[in-house]
Amino acid sequence: VGYDFIIDQLRQHEVRDSSANLASELEMCKALNYLKYKKYKDAIDGLKAFEKKDKIHRARAATNLAYLYYLEGDLDSGEKYSDMSIEFDRYNAKALVNKGNFLYSKGDLDKARQFYTEALSVEADNVEAIYNLGLTTKALGLHDEALRMFRRLQSLVDSVEVMYQIADLHARMGDPGCTEWFTRLIGRVPTDPGVLARLGQLYAKERDESQAFHYYLESYRYFQVNMDVISWLGAYFVQNEVYDKALQFFERASQIEPAEVKWQLMTASCYRRRGEYPQAKRLYEEVHRKYPENLECLRFLVTICKDAGLIEEANNWLKEFKKIEQRVQDDRHAAAFGGGPSPSNGGGVGDEDSGSDREETLRQRGDGPSGSPDSKLSLIHI
């Protein structure tokens, strides 16, 4: 209301003095104020009114409209205003940056780089142009040039985003000092789960499992849906035979990705390794009902039934396993050769000695891998 009152008074003054343009300036401020408070529709309506004003105001309005449409994801409308603002004033650094942003979003990185470079030739300390040029050269694989851009920007602004880009580039370039950069970054953003996970990844790569565990666990503490973190922590506890802890992470993974069978298999495997065979068997049977052609699940069902002395049930699971495995091989052969019977593999899966002979083998043999019922039926461990 205050803006409208003052603008109205200034317009009355402009009737007497046509050279005055304070009303237009204040209208621009009003539109930018809408932009500040994220009232994009009001800002767009206010800026579009400048299309009928003089060239300078049209250029300024077009620059801001391009930025607004970019924020809203309307790249076509935004690029139209971006071109308009450059046409009005080729030496407008913000307009050049806007054009580069649209090209970057469309994947034309080389042209985007040209516009960012041109913007810097107009305004050497333009923060947006330097940062976006760094991102563009990074995406192009020009890591040395990108690093120079972000170091240049670091001398102008104190920003954790810039620090992250420098740390990430050191990591991409294989610089051992990248760990130090991420550690410094954690000092600035100690609860950032992405940076904590990245440090865990770096320490895991260096085979420093204690530090990797610490940072992965901290990352999980602040963000409990990162599957890479959950997977690493689950595998870590399995490796250290702390199956009750591993179970918590694999169950969590199953909740996040209920359609991913491997998490359910790992959950069942933890119960099996803890010696809770009835619970493990029940989970494997549930997995089999959902995914009847999963061979890994059938392998474990054969093993659990055999170890429990359920020879007849183990035989039934083994027959199911062989049938599905043969079907998979036939499908692969048909896909590769356009159909026809699978060639003999010299006594492998699909032999005619299944049934009673196979059952006899189960009764007499216990020397397969990890107690598997058949030497060809190797188990898959986590």
Side-chain angles (χ1 to χ4, degrees), residues 22 32 52 59 89 110 114 155 174 198 298 317 330 350 379:
L22 286 176
L32 295 179
K52 298 178 181 179
D89 183 4
D110 289 318
Q114 293 174 16
S155 66
R198 192 68 179 275
L298 288 168
W317 289 123
D330 290 342
L379 297 183

Side-chain angles (χ1 to χ4, degrees), residues 71-215:
L71 291 179
E72 291 194 326
D74 188 347
L75 299 184
D76 292 333
S77 297
E79 192 167 13
K80 180 186 73 173
Y81 282 104
S82 174
D83 292 336
M84 189 185 302
S85 60
I86 292 175
E87 182 182 347
F88 288 143
D89 183 4
R90 184 72 191 187
Y91 299 100
N92 183 341
K94 290 182 175 60
L96 293 167
V97 170
N98 280 340
K99 180 64 176 179
N101 290 345
F102 289 111
L103 291 168
Y104 184 98
S105 298
K106 292 182 175 182
D108 195 343
L109 300 181
D110 289 318
K111 283 189 178 179
R113 182 186 176 194
Q114 293 174 16
F115 276 95
Y116 294 139
T117 303
E118 188 175 349
L120 286 176
S121 67
V122 174
E123 188 179 328
D125 60 349
N126 186 292
V127 172
E128 292 82 6
I130 299 172
Y131 188 85
N132 292 347
L133 181 57
L135 290 179
T136 304
T137 50
K138 178 182 174 182
L140 288 168
L142 305 172
H143 294 156
D144 288 327
E145 184 177 344
L147 190 59
R148 284 197 300 273
M149 287 296 107
F150 288 119
R151 286 190 180 280
R152 175 179 171 183
L153 188 56
Q154 192 182 33
S155 66
L156 298 174
V157 295
D158 182 20
S159 166
V160 293
E161 288 83 2
V162 175
M163 188 180 292
Y164 171 80
Q165 294 297 339
I166 293 173
D168 184 53
L169 281 164
H170 278 291
R172 289 170 181 258
M173 296 166 72
D175 183 357
C178 64
T179 305
E180 180 184 348
W181 275 99
F182 279 109
T183 304
R184 289 168 58 183
L185 186 56
I186 279 295
R188 298 284 301 276
V189 284
T191 60
D192 189 294
V195 178
L196 288 165
R198 192 68 179 275
L199 268 171
Q201 182 186 38
L202 290 170
Y203 279 115
K205 190 176 180 180
E206 295 173 3
R207 300 187 183 280
D208 188 343
E209 289 202 345
S210 62
Q211 285 285 72
F213 172 71
H214 167 73
Y215 284 110

Side-chain angles (χ1 to χ4, degrees), residues 314-331:
N315 276 322
N316 291 335
W317 289 123
L318 180 60
K319 290 175 183 177
E320 182 72 13
F321 173 86
K322 294 297 181 182
K323 181 175 70 174
I324 294 173
E325 187 178 45
Q326 184 64 55
R327 187 190 309 157
V328 170
Q329 287 187 354
D330 290 342
D331 290 344

Side-chain angles (χ1 to χ4, degrees), residues 31 34 39-49 64-65 68-69 72 81:
Y34 281 132
K39 297 181 179 180
Y40 297 142
K41 185 178 184 304
D42 292 327
I44 290 172
D45 292 340
L47 290 169
K48 280 187 174 180
N64 289 307
L65 280 168
L68 271 169
Y69 280 118
E72 291 194 326
Y81 282 104

